[in-house]
Amino acid sequence: PFEFLPAKDSEVYTLGEALTYTDKVTKCGETAKPTHICMGPADAGVVPVMPVLATTRSAAPHAAKPTPGPAVKLGTTAESVTATTTNGVFTVTDVDEAAGVCCGFFK
């Protein structure tokens, strides 16, 4: 189920981007747990999002292959994950190295 939340005026939103929400949605920091995932571009001041729940499982591209098990940081664009485990927020459950994608959940 999608929600439509207020968009930040100066921000461009990308499908799959990790977001946080207070009064408007904004790109997630590398070590911040997202509250929502972007489901499309902003239109008329709102952006379609999917809430991140304890049961939400996600797939994300990776630049460097993470190891299943530990939680890793988000990439600087909030659209991917890294292999860095310090202050990680995305727990990797499996990795498809050929596709450059890993699966997991936000802790």
Side-chain angles (χ1 to χ4, degrees):
F2 294 168
E3 298 177 26
F4 294 88
L5 297 176
K8 195 172 180 180
D9 293 335
S10 61
E11 193 154 335
V12 175
Y13 298 92
T14 305
L15 177 66
E17 180 178 52
L19 305 170
T20 56
Y21 174 70
T22 49
D23 61 335
K24 295 183 179 187
V25 289
T26 190
K27 188 177 304 212
C28 216
E30 294 175 318
T31 60
K33 180 182 175 185
T35 58
H36 295 83
I37 301 295
C38 180
M39 299 309 293
D43 185 26
V46 296
V47 62
V49 298
M50 178 183 78
V52 173
L53 307 172
T55 56
T56 303
R57 299 296 179 255
S58 298
H62 60 78
K65 180 184 171 192
T67 303
V72 295
K73 283 184 179 182
L74 299 177
T76 56
T77 62
E79 298 172 32
S80 62
V81 296
T82 68
T84 305
T85 58
T86 306
N87 299 319
V89 295
F90 185 79
T91 301
V92 177
T93 56
D94 55 277
V95 177
D96 182 341
E97 191 170 356
V101 175
C102 63
C103 296
F105 58 93
F106 293 98
K107 69 172 200 153

